[in-house]
Amino acid sequence: MNSRKKELLSLNPNRLFSADPTQRAIAQRLYADVKNLPILSPHGHTDPRWFAEDASFGNPTELLIKPDHYVFRMLYSQGISMESLGIRTHDGTATASDPREIWRIFAQHFYLFRGTPSQLWLEHVFSEVFGLEHRLNEHTADEYYDRINAALQSDAYRPRALFDRFNIECLATTESPLDTLEHHIKIRDSGWQGNVITAFRPDPVTDPDFEGFRENVSALGELTQLDTSSYTQYLQALMQRRAFFKSLGATSTDHGNPTAITADLTREQAQSLFEKVLTGDFSAQDAETFRGQMLTEMAAMSLEDGLVMQIHPGSHRNHNQTVFKRFGRDKGADIPSQTNYVDALKPLLNKFGHRTDLSIILFTLDETTYSRELAPLAGHYPCLKLGPSWWFHDSPEGMRRFREQVTETAGFYNTVGFNDDTRAFLSIPARHDVARRMDCTWLAQLVAEHRITEDDAQALAQDLSYNLAKRAYKL
Amino acid sequence: MNSRKKELLSLNPNRLFSADPTQRAIAQRLYADVKNLPILSPHGHTDPRWFAEDASFGNPTELLIKPDHYVFRMLYSQGISMESLGIRTHDGTATASDPREIWRIFAQHFYLFRGTPSQLWLEHVFSEVFGLEHRLNEHTADEYYDRINAALQSDAYRPRALFDRFNIECLATTESPLDTLEHHIKIRDSGWQGNVITAFRPDPVTDPDFEGFRENVSALGELTQLDTSSYTQYLQALMQRRAFFKSLGATSTDHGNPTAITADLTREQAQSLFEKVLTGDFSAQDAETFRGQMLTEMAAMSLEDGLVMQIHPGSHRNHNQTVFKRFGRDKGADIPSQTNYVDALKPLLNKFGHRTDLSIILFTLDETTYSRELAPLAGHYPCLKLGPSWWFHDSPEGMRRFREQVTETAGFYNTVGFNDDTRAFLSIPARHDVARRMDCTWLAQLVAEHRITEDDAQALAQDLSYNLAKRAYKL
Amino acid sequence: MNSRKKELLSLNPNRLFSADPTQRAIAQRLYADVKNLPILSPHGHTDPRWFAEDASFGNPTELLIKPDHYVFRMLYSQGISMESLGIRTHDGTATASDPREIWRIFAQHFYLFRGTPSQLWLEHVFSEVFGLEHRLNEHTADEYYDRINAALQSDAYRPRALFDRFNIECLATTESPLDTLEHHIKIRDSGWQGNVITAFRPDPVTDPDFEGFRENVSALGELTQLDTSSYTQYLQALMQRRAFFKSLGATSTDHGNPTAITADLTREQAQSLFEKVLTGDFSAQDAETFRGQMLTEMAAMSLEDGLVMQIHPGSHRNHNQTVFKRFGRDKGADIPSQTNYVDALKPLLNKFGHRTDLSIILFTLDETTYSRELAPLAGHYPCLKLGPSWWFHDSPEGMRRFREQVTETAGFYNTVGFNDDTRAFLSIPARHDVARRMDCTWLAQLVAEHRITEDDAQALAQDLSYNLAKRAYKL
């Protein structure tokens, strides 16, 4: 089933546009206006060290395979062991170490990605970033390895040079409250103009089920010189760290709870629950309630400091027990779960839902909520907006479903444009390009079916590609 | 993001048809045959007083903004207060009162509706009903206000004249069993030929959670001269009111339970539960079971009197606590919930599911049930039919999803055509036009892909636009 | 609404392809390469007796109406009694017996199937298998009856002749562990070259809720000369029957549990639960856990003998109580239920999920799980693959949704090609043709939108039509 020959690699200028000539022509016009807009990447997981140190990215395998769980989850699903891909084990047991050998395995199995966004993104990177002319397969594996490897040694392929070349206006990373933000400080002090900001992700100190929660809360106390065994001071410590993050550019917080459940306890109940979860002796329900309470506390803090809240719920983390024990977190074994928003968000919304000075961006891994819950909620509550299709759904079909199921109830202006949410820095232009193309395709269909005018579509294309993100994330 | 100039408003004759030339040509042919068929509107919420009194509709703001929760929910979601839109508060606190100012706010924010069905419906009304030539925005706000306002003072824009002009063959309103149907009587006695009928919506006296339930049950007793503290006489009273509604044209009942749960209690259990809910001291589960029991009782009554049952479940009413306290019900804050039918309907179906002389029309706000539950149920049980895509899903994409997910399992003949379910009288022709266009578009795709013949599509277009509603609702 | 005249019946060579000329041309090229590939039917419910005895199929009604629950569920839903269709009652009460009269009822109501896959399949059979030139309706009912009836008396229409004519390379039936496989033995010994294999469906002896479970477990003991009141010997007996099935060609097992729940009990817990369910005195939860435990036991056995596991969960069987009492199982009254996989499969996956020598094929009746659960699971776990869209979703739109919602996360190579899962032998070529056409249509769209190359699409079309099924089912 894999490839038998050396094939030309070319990115068709009309890729992702409808084959219908009328729609395609409209999409081309809309896209021409937005394709070169600067990239706003207000939510993602790139490593700020890259931009602080500006060192070479190493070799193709280190850059493109090992950090990309989209890539190795697919290979693993087809019987290729993570050991043979050199994924680092928890306990340091040796795995494959020759990056070229790993690259060959990847190349040989690249056909598995047919029809997936990984193929779209990677071929974009191969062609646009590295100028490769043939498709990746077992026959071109070594050519790829050598060409990419050579490029990575040159100054033009260092992180800052690529950042500038990619025309990124703003890039947000995501850090724990315990992070010293040393890399962000270094970037700020370096004189480099690249706008790399942080975002505040408090899960390590707000989720009682997070590995090391108690130690994390203690560390938070040390960092802030506050007694974080007191709920009041714990909240103060969080507020203090938020201010510190803000001073390094943060405009948002991010919350990765397993569910969207919120709570609105009295101060006494909250204090008492906090003491309980700090003991380490608590139920699953306690942990859920505490996380929910912290969402509401964070909303209250956002009303103070203006940080935008992002809620990314619904992932069953580390589903594969064998993989988790051997390789740890973030190894492609997170699986979406059914997620409820209507009941779950009620306590927070009862308290703050009507506020126009609060901004909460909701994401989902459960597409059934688009038309049933999320669009009706965002189409009503002033404080709610919808984040773009996320993670498994950050794909052409996923984006299409998002627009089809959300637009008619929430409109376009209760959405916030695209964000890439990626660890794979080189894929950022590819991902934004896919999003812009899919938005233009969707708008072109609406125009071709006389559901909106082309003038409106032109304005919308700008909004979806740039303006909405800028406004929603206060960039 | 809003409009910068005066733009022409024109309704493209091919709107909503596929851009593909083959499909479009077929859709044009199918639509030509059905576009002028009379409108059957067997389910909706227009005010019968309009047709009884035939007074002017007032001003543009009273007519088009204040009663349309689709409109003000979107404005509210973008930070525009309901006070500034003049929405009447619960306690009579003053809100904005200058209708022209409110209209300007609406006009200035009309761009928010891009891509929504509200834009389609409203532009249809602006163009077809009022003959306006430019699009609504801040530059045309006053022109709109003046032109519409002037029209509303003329006889041609009175309710009955519009009813006739709209070619409505039958329009059903929805009333409580406690309603005296005075307006319907007045219409009947007026000599006007317009066919405005009622529908029986017993929620105020069958839902223990309804505001004033106990008082309502008492009032039902007074109205019928029966002792409605006895379950037997309570049922008799309901049967009596159904007969009265039938005498004023009703062919259907309507049930807006939060879920689709049904129950089939023994007479003793039902009697005892009725007594309990009448005390006011009952659990959420008691209320749910009682509502479920009443669905089964209503089905039994339908077998007697032939009224068609409509079940509209799955709305979490008044989700926004702040809005509910200040403005009351029906303020755009109802949010759909996940809805189960397979287990929920079992008690009723065990009893009556096989009956060919019972007709129950099911609606949903949870589109996930289309292919999983509703189409398989309606494609099997003789008593079940599927209502059209509803409320948030009464939109081009919603209609497309309905047909795509329902047709292959339930066929076309277990559906009941379109109904508009609207309070916005002027939008009725627009809504039926959207439905006819979307049905023709769907049929045209089936023809173009050789999945049905064009002869069959032609027959189906007639059925979906007219015949199915006529038959299903016994009009 | 039914037909008014004698219409020509013709299968358009481009049926199911997109109307867009670019997409259609690509689909035509892809389809030309796969349309004549042999049929692999690795999962279905045809009767092996047909191929063992090779007798005539009887009359049109016996062949095409009575065994096809897709057909009579639709007729029943429109008020046509099953009695009038001659469906055999449980208690032997007389129903209609004149096959020609039944055929006429069917013909008169054939318009009900407009837009359904039954119409596609049946018209394929009418045209391709029987050479009929006009469409079925009340005017052609007798012509149809006579022509089909006559054909069925000829040798060319006997089971084996049709099997050869249909170019079936392999056909799997499904049998209970208690089945003696006499028909398969007879086929094997007959010298006929047709490859008809069995599949192992243990529900009658592994599901405590199955009719006659206890007697079935006893019968299993007698058949294997083992004491199946002992859990150890019960498992041995199952292993022995698996080996016997394997000797008659079985490459797979099949499991029709109501849910996807699995369990991983200790041997002591399992033994004790087994003893409990054998007493007949057990809770619904016990039955669920036992079925779940048996899935895990079956996975362990598959690791021994290499049989591929198929899990077909999520059907609420015999939903219509009236029909079940009078007509028994499999009468079109099975309704899908919401199905969870992420939590349900965890016990089994914790134990065996990482094994590359285990193969489990998952099916669903709950399409919401495609993008949320199934594609993420299959795109990660080495032991999981996804079966094609199933039962109610084995239709053009169902197939489209499957590819749209599954491909981007799981890729094509974690799916297993098509299987027809049918009792309707004559529809097998029609069903595979629909699947091949829909796959080519989907691939053509990807090519036309430059998301894959046409070379890749060509390889994929072969894989989806033939190679994947051959490999996944070890044929």
Side-chain angles (χ1 to χ4, degrees):
Chain A
M1 302 173 183
N2 43 15
S3 303
R4 284 145 307 238
K5 56 180 196 250
K6 203 155 167 175
E7 293 172 275
L8 281 179
L9 170 62
S10 75
L11 302 185
N12 192 293
N14 291 315
R15 63 191 181 280
L16 297 174
F17 297 158
S18 167
D20 176 77
T22 308
Q23 290 190 43
R24 181 166 287 193
I26 301 167
Q28 286 168 337
R29 291 195 292 273
L30 297 174
Y31 176 69
D33 271 4
V34 300
K35 72 175 171 184
N36 293 322
L37 287 175
I39 287 175
L40 295 174
S41 177
H43 177 74
H45 299 275
T46 52
D47 189 342
R49 178 193 299 266
W50 296 334
F51 308 105
E53 302 185 350
D54 202 30
S56 158
F57 276 115
N59 62 55
T61 296
E62 284 301 323
L63 177 66
L64 296 171
I65 301 176
K66 290 191 183 179
D68 190 340
H69 52 67
Y70 288 84
V71 166
F72 59 73
R73 83 190 307 273
M74 177 64 90
L75 298 173
Y76 176 75
S77 81
Q78 287 280 314
I80 297 162
S81 73
M82 300 226 281
E83 285 84 350
S84 71
L85 297 171
I87 307 304
R88 200 163 289 111
T89 58
H90 217 48
D91 62 1
T93 322
T95 60
S97 57
D98 179 350
R100 183 182 294 270
E101 275 308 314
I102 295 168
W103 184 265
R104 284 175 181 159
I105 293 173
F106 171 52
Q108 191 185 351
H109 293 90
F110 192 60
Y111 72 94
L112 295 173
F113 295 93
R114 285 171 180 161
T116 69
S118 290
Q119 184 188 37
L120 284 178
W121 299 329
L122 284 162
E123 293 199 337
H124 185 115
V125 170
F126 297 155
S127 176
E128 295 285 300
V129 183
F130 293 106
L132 292 154
E133 301 94 0
H134 293 96
R135 300 185 67 204
L136 180 63
N137 60 32
E138 62 272 39
H139 306 298
T140 57
D142 282 341
E143 175 192 333
Y144 261 69
Y145 191 87
D146 294 334
R147 297 256 313 254
I148 297 175
N149 203 38
L152 293 182
Q153 312 319 315
S154 70
D155 285 350
Y157 285 84
R158 293 218 190 163
R160 292 185 184 176
L162 287 175
F163 186 100
D164 294 338
R165 175 176 163 193
F166 290 167
N167 194 19
I168 298 175
E169 183 176 310
C170 180
L171 177 75
T173 63
T174 308
E175 273 78 37
S176 154
L178 304 179
D179 196 290
T180 58
L181 302 185
E182 55 174 324
H183 303 306
H184 291 82
I185 292 169
K186 191 166 174 186
I187 294 167
R188 183 191 62 191
D189 297 345
S190 72
W192 176 53
Q193 295 303 312
N195 189 21
V196 177
I197 63 178
T198 184
F200 185 76
R201 170 94 169 209
D203 301 5
V205 296
T206 56
D207 177 0
D209 288 329
F210 204 94
E211 297 94 304
F213 169 69
R214 279 199 290 177
E215 294 71 23
N216 295 341
V217 172
S218 290
L220 178 67
E222 282 163 37
L223 207 54
T224 54
Q225 306 280 322
L226 288 161
D227 173 12
T228 50
S229 66
S230 136
Y231 189 58
T232 305
Q233 293 197 42
Y234 164 75
L235 294 182
Q236 284 169 358
L238 286 165
M239 197 70 195
Q240 196 187 107
R241 294 307 289 169
R242 291 169 64 108
F244 177 58
F245 273 60
K246 235 184 125 172
S247 79
L248 282 151
T251 69
S252 67
T253 67
D254 181 32
H255 308 274
N257 291 6
T259 74
I261 280 175
T262 61
D264 184 21
L265 307 178
T266 63
R267 177 51 70 113
E268 291 66 34
Q269 290 169 325
Q271 168 77 41
S272 145
L273 179 58
F274 178 64
E275 284 160 11
K276 186 168 185 193
V277 297
L278 268 194
T279 66
D281 182 19
F282 56 85
S283 68
Q285 180 60 53
D286 290 333
E288 186 83 330
T289 305
F290 187 75
R291 286 186 297 260
Q293 174 64 17
M294 289 314 296
L295 285 182
T296 307
E297 298 284 7
M298 288 285 141
M301 292 185 198
S302 280
L303 280 161
E304 293 288 316
D305 63 18
L307 293 182
V308 171
M309 283 184 83
Q310 302 171 87
I311 304 182
H312 282 93
S315 178
H316 185 132
R317 304 272 171 186
N318 314 312
H319 192 273
N320 185 327
Q321 192 172 280
T322 309
V323 163
F324 182 60
K325 282 188 185 151
R326 186 149 167 71
F327 297 96
R329 292 172 72 90
D330 297 326
K331 291 298 174 291
D334 299 339
I335 310 286
S337 299
Q338 212 183 331
T339 308
N340 170 289
Y341 294 85
V342 175
D343 301 309
L345 293 176
K346 193 92 172 65
L348 190 157
L349 292 172
N350 280 349
K351 194 161 193 173
F352 298 127
H354 60 291
R355 296 290 295 258
T356 57
D357 50 351
L358 175 66
S359 186
I360 301 176
I361 302 174
L362 298 175
F363 293 79
T364 198
L365 293 174
D366 179 355
E367 294 179 305
T368 68
T369 62
Y370 283 158
S371 75
R372 187 182 60 216
E373 306 184 21
L374 292 178
L377 285 166
H380 169 71
Y381 281 102
C383 70
L384 297 181
K385 299 268 180 301
L386 301 187
S389 53
W390 175 43
W391 198 341
F392 296 100
H393 314 311
D394 171 19
S395 63
E397 295 298 326
M399 291 174 183
R400 189 197 308 270
R401 283 193 291 271
F402 177 78
R403 292 288 174 212
E404 285 176 354
Q405 294 177 29
V406 154
T407 308
E408 294 177 319
T409 291
F412 287 103
Y413 294 96
N414 285 306
T415 65
V416 302
F418 181 65
N419 59 64
D420 52 72
D421 193 22
T422 192
R423 295 164 203 278
F425 177 55
L426 269 69
S427 75
I428 287 179
R431 289 168 187 255
H432 285 260
D433 190 61
V434 168
R436 291 175 185 185
R437 287 173 178 275
M438 288 308 297
D439 281 337
C440 290
T441 297
W442 167 242
L443 293 169
Q445 184 185 342
L446 295 184
V447 174
E449 296 175 357
H450 309 290
R451 293 154 73 177
I452 59 174
T453 66
E454 189 161 340
D455 279 355
D456 281 359
Q458 209 176 1
L460 283 163
Q462 302 275 334
D463 291 338
L464 301 183
S465 301
Y466 184 83
N467 298 327
L468 286 172
K470 191 161 184 95
R471 191 195 303 172
Y473 282 91
K474 306 183 178 177
L475 301 176
Chain B
M1 301 173 184
N2 42 13
S3 301
R4 286 144 306 236
K5 54 178 197 246
K6 203 155 167 174
E7 293 172 276
L8 281 178
L9 170 63
S10 75
L11 302 186
N12 192 293
N14 291 315
R15 64 191 180 281
L16 297 174
F17 297 157
S18 168
D20 175 77
T22 309
Q23 290 189 44
R24 180 166 287 193
I26 300 167
Q28 286 168 336
R29 290 194 293 272
L30 297 174
Y31 176 70
D33 271 5
V34 300
K35 71 175 170 184
N36 293 322
L37 288 175
I39 288 175
L40 296 174
S41 177
H43 177 74
H45 299 274
T46 53
D47 188 343
R49 178 192 301 264
W50 297 334
F51 309 105
E53 302 184 350
D54 202 30
S56 157
F57 276 114
N59 63 54
T61 296
E62 284 301 324
L63 177 65
L64 297 171
I65 300 177
K66 290 192 184 179
D68 191 339
H69 53 68
Y70 287 85
V71 166
F72 60 72
R73 81 191 308 273
M74 176 65 89
L75 297 172
Y76 176 75
S77 81
Q78 288 280 314
I80 297 161
S81 73
M82 301 226 280
E83 285 84 352
S84 71
L85 297 171
I87 307 303
R88 198 163 291 111
T89 58
H90 217 48
D91 62 0
T93 323
T95 59
S97 58
D98 179 350
R100 183 183 294 270
E101 274 309 314
I102 296 169
W103 183 265
R104 284 175 181 159
I105 295 173
F106 171 53
Q108 190 185 349
H109 293 90
F110 192 59
Y111 73 94
L112 295 173
F113 296 93
R114 285 171 180 161
T116 70
S118 290
Q119 185 188 35
L120 284 177
W121 300 328
L122 284 162
E123 293 199 336
H124 185 115
V125 170
F126 297 156
S127 175
E128 296 284 301
V129 183
F130 294 105
L132 292 154
E133 302 93 2
H134 293 98
R135 301 185 67 202
L136 180 63
N137 59 33
E138 61 272 39
H139 307 297
T140 58
D142 282 341
E143 174 192 335
Y144 261 69
Y145 191 87
D146 294 334
R147 298 257 313 256
I148 296 175
N149 203 38
L152 293 182
Q153 313 317 317
S154 71
D155 285 351
Y157 285 83
R158 294 221 189 159
R160 291 185 186 176
L162 287 174
F163 187 100
D164 294 338
R165 172 176 166 195
F166 291 168
N167 194 20
I168 299 176
E169 182 176 311
C170 178
L171 177 74
T173 64
T174 309
E175 273 77 37
S176 153
L178 304 180
D179 197 289
T180 58
L181 302 184
E182 54 175 325
H183 303 304
H184 290 84
I185 292 168
K186 189 165 177 188
I187 294 167
R188 185 192 59 190
D189 297 345
S190 72
W192 176 54
Q193 295 303 312
N195 188 21
V196 177
I197 63 179
T198 183
F200 185 76
R201 171 93 167 210
D203 302 5
V205 295
T206 56
D207 177 1
D209 288 329
F210 204 95
E211 296 94 305
F213 169 70
R214 279 196 293 179
E215 295 70 23
N216 296 341
V217 172
S218 290
L220 178 67
E222 283 161 38
L223 207 55
T224 55
Q225 307 279 321
L226 286 163
D227 173 13
T228 50
S229 66
S230 136
Y231 189 58
T232 305
Q233 292 196 42
Y234 164 74
L235 294 182
Q236 283 169 358
L238 286 166
M239 196 72 195
Q240 197 188 107
R241 295 307 289 168
R242 291 170 63 109
F244 176 59
F245 273 60
K246 233 183 126 171
S247 79
L248 283 150
T251 68
S252 67
T253 68
D254 181 30
H255 309 274
N257 290 6
T259 74
I261 281 176
T262 61
D264 184 22
L265 307 177
T266 63
R267 177 52 69 115
E268 290 68 33
Q269 291 169 326
Q271 168 77 42
S272 147
L273 178 59
F274 177 64
E275 284 161 10
K276 186 169 187 192
V277 297
L278 267 194
T279 65
D281 183 19
F282 55 85
S283 67
Q285 180 61 52
D286 290 333
E288 185 83 330
T289 305
F290 187 75
R291 287 187 295 261
Q293 175 64 17
M294 288 314 295
L295 285 183
T296 307
E297 298 285 7
M298 288 285 143
M301 293 184 197
S302 279
L303 280 161
E304 293 289 316
D305 63 18
L307 293 182
V308 171
M309 283 184 84
Q310 301 171 88
I311 304 182
H312 282 94
S315 178
H316 185 133
R317 303 272 171 186
N318 313 313
H319 193 273
N320 185 327
Q321 193 172 280
T322 309
V323 164
F324 182 61
K325 281 188 186 150
R326 186 147 166 71
F327 297 94
R329 293 174 71 90
D330 297 326
K331 291 296 173 290
D334 299 339
I335 309 288
S337 300
Q338 211 183 334
T339 308
N340 170 289
Y341 295 84
V342 175
D343 301 310
L345 293 175
K346 192 94 171 65
L348 190 158
L349 292 173
N350 280 349
K351 194 159 191 174
F352 299 126
H354 61 290
R355 296 289 295 257
T356 57
D357 49 352
L358 175 66
S359 185
I360 301 176
I361 302 175
L362 298 175
F363 293 80
T364 199
L365 293 173
D366 180 356
E367 294 180 304
T368 69
T369 62
Y370 283 160
S371 75
R372 186 182 59 215
E373 306 184 20
L374 292 178
L377 285 166
H380 170 71
Y381 280 101
C383 71
L384 298 180
K385 299 270 181 297
L386 301 187
S389 52
W390 175 43
W391 199 340
F392 297 100
H393 314 311
D394 173 18
S395 63
E397 296 298 326
M399 290 174 184
R400 190 198 305 273
R401 285 194 290 272
F402 177 78
R403 292 289 175 210
E404 285 176 354
Q405 293 175 29
V406 153
T407 308
E408 294 177 319
T409 291
F412 286 103
Y413 293 96
N414 284 307
T415 66
V416 303
F418 180 66
N419 58 65
D420 53 73
D421 193 22
T422 193
R423 295 165 204 276
F425 177 56
L426 268 70
S427 75
I428 288 180
R431 289 168 188 256
H432 285 260
D433 190 60
V434 169
R436 289 175 187 185
R437 287 174 179 274
M438 288 308 297
D439 282 337
C440 290
T441 297
W442 167 241
L443 293 169
Q445 184 185 341
L446 296 185
V447 173
E449 296 176 356
H450 310 290
R451 293 154 73 176
I452 58 174
T453 67
E454 188 162 340
D455 279 355
D456 282 359
Q458 210 176 1
L460 283 163
Q462 303 274 336
D463 291 338
L464 301 183
S465 301
Y466 184 83
N467 298 327
L468 286 172
K470 192 163 182 93
R471 191 195 303 171
Y473 283 90
K474 306 182 179 177
L475 301 175
Chain C
M1 302 174 183
N2 43 14
S3 302
R4 286 147 306 238
K5 55 180 198 246
K6 203 156 168 175
E7 293 172 277
L8 281 179
L9 170 62
S10 74
L11 303 185
N12 191 293
N14 291 316
R15 65 190 180 280
L16 297 173
F17 298 156
S18 167
D20 175 78
T22 309
Q23 290 189 44
R24 180 166 287 191
I26 301 167
Q28 287 169 335
R29 290 194 293 273
L30 297 174
Y31 176 69
D33 271 5
V34 300
K35 72 174 169 183
N36 292 322
L37 287 175
I39 288 175
L40 296 173
S41 177
H43 177 74
H45 298 275
T46 52
D47 189 341
R49 177 193 300 266
W50 295 334
F51 309 105
E53 301 184 350
D54 202 29
S56 158
F57 276 114
N59 62 55
T61 295
E62 284 300 324
L63 177 65
L64 297 171
I65 300 176
K66 291 193 184 179
D68 191 340
H69 52 68
Y70 287 83
V71 166
F72 60 73
R73 82 190 306 274
M74 176 65 90
L75 297 173
Y76 176 75
S77 80
Q78 287 280 314
I80 297 161
S81 73
M82 301 226 279
E83 285 83 352
S84 71
L85 297 170
I87 307 302
R88 200 163 290 110
T89 59
H90 217 49
D91 62 0
T93 322
T95 59
S97 58
D98 180 350
R100 182 182 295 269
E101 274 309 314
I102 296 169
W103 184 264
R104 284 175 180 159
I105 294 174
F106 171 53
Q108 190 186 349
H109 293 90
F110 192 60
Y111 73 93
L112 295 174
F113 296 93
R114 286 170 181 161
T116 70
S118 290
Q119 185 188 37
L120 284 177
W121 299 328
L122 284 162
E123 293 199 337
H124 185 116
V125 169
F126 297 155
S127 175
E128 295 284 300
V129 182
F130 293 107
L132 292 154
E133 300 93 2
H134 292 96
R135 298 187 68 202
L136 180 63
N137 60 31
E138 62 273 38
H139 306 297
T140 58
D142 282 340
E143 174 193 334
Y144 261 69
Y145 191 87
D146 293 334
R147 296 257 312 256
I148 296 175
N149 203 38
L152 293 181
Q153 313 317 317
S154 70
D155 285 350
Y157 285 82
R158 294 220 189 159
R160 291 184 185 177
L162 287 174
F163 186 102
D164 293 338
R165 176 177 162 192
F166 290 168
N167 195 20
I168 298 174
E169 183 176 309
C170 179
L171 177 75
T173 63
T174 307
E175 272 78 37
S176 153
L178 304 179
D179 196 290
T180 58
L181 302 184
E182 55 175 324
H183 304 304
H184 290 84
I185 293 168
K186 191 166 174 186
I187 294 167
R188 183 191 62 190
D189 297 345
S190 72
W192 176 54
Q193 295 303 313
N195 188 22
V196 177
I197 63 178
T198 183
F200 185 76
R201 171 93 167 211
D203 302 4
V205 296
T206 56
D207 177 0
D209 288 329
F210 204 95
E211 297 95 301
F213 169 69
R214 278 197 293 179
E215 294 70 23
N216 295 341
V217 172
S218 290
L220 178 67
E222 282 161 37
L223 207 56
T224 54
Q225 306 280 321
L226 286 161
D227 173 13
T228 50
S229 67
S230 137
Y231 188 57
T232 305
Q233 292 196 42
Y234 163 74
L235 294 182
Q236 283 169 358
L238 285 166
M239 196 70 196
Q240 195 188 108
R241 293 308 288 168
R242 291 169 65 109
F244 176 59
F245 273 59
K246 232 183 127 171
S247 78
L248 282 151
T251 67
S252 67
T253 68
D254 181 31
H255 308 274
N257 290 7
T259 74
I261 280 176
T262 61
D264 185 21
L265 308 177
T266 62
R267 177 52 69 114
E268 290 67 33
Q269 290 169 325
Q271 168 77 41
S272 146
L273 179 58
F274 178 65
E275 283 161 11
K276 187 169 186 193
V277 298
L278 268 194
T279 65
D281 182 17
F282 55 86
S283 68
Q285 181 59 55
D286 290 333
E288 186 83 328
T289 305
F290 187 75
R291 287 187 294 261
Q293 174 64 17
M294 289 314 295
L295 285 183
T296 308
E297 299 284 6
M298 287 285 142
M301 292 185 197
S302 279
L303 279 162
E304 294 287 316
D305 64 18
L307 292 182
V308 171
M309 282 184 86
Q310 299 171 89
I311 304 182
H312 281 94
S315 177
H316 185 133
R317 304 272 171 184
N318 314 311
H319 192 272
N320 186 326
Q321 193 172 280
T322 309
V323 163
F324 182 60
K325 280 188 186 150
R326 185 147 167 73
F327 297 95
R329 294 173 70 91
D330 297 327
K331 291 298 173 289
D334 299 339
I335 309 288
S337 299
Q338 211 184 332
T339 308
N340 169 290
Y341 295 85
V342 174
D343 300 310
L345 293 176
K346 192 92 171 68
L348 190 158
L349 292 174
N350 279 350
K351 195 161 191 173
F352 299 128
H354 61 289
R355 296 290 295 257
T356 57
D357 49 351
L358 175 66
S359 186
I360 301 176
I361 302 174
L362 298 175
F363 293 79
T364 199
L365 292 174
D366 180 355
E367 294 180 303
T368 68
T369 61
Y370 283 160
S371 76
R372 186 182 60 216
E373 305 184 21
L374 292 177
L377 285 166
H380 170 71
Y381 281 102
C383 71
L384 297 181
K385 299 269 179 299
L386 301 187
S389 52
W390 175 43
W391 198 339
F392 295 101
H393 314 311
D394 174 19
S395 63
E397 295 299 325
M399 290 175 184
R400 189 196 308 271
R401 284 193 291 272
F402 177 79
R403 292 289 175 210
E404 285 176 355
Q405 294 176 28
V406 154
T407 307
E408 294 177 320
T409 291
F412 287 105
Y413 294 96
N414 285 307
T415 65
V416 303
F418 180 66
N419 58 64
D420 53 73
D421 194 21
T422 193
R423 294 163 205 278
F425 177 55
L426 268 69
S427 75
I428 288 179
R431 289 168 186 256
H432 284 261
D433 190 60
V434 168
R436 290 175 186 184
R437 286 174 179 276
M438 289 307 298
D439 281 337
C440 290
T441 297
W442 167 241
L443 292 170
Q445 184 185 342
L446 295 185
V447 173
E449 296 175 357
H450 310 292
R451 293 154 74 177
I452 58 173
T453 66
E454 189 162 339
D455 278 356
D456 282 359
Q458 207 176 4
L460 283 162
Q462 301 275 335
D463 291 339
L464 301 183
S465 301
Y466 185 83
N467 298 326
L468 285 173
K470 193 164 182 94
R471 192 195 302 173
Y473 283 91
K474 305 183 179 177
L475 301 175

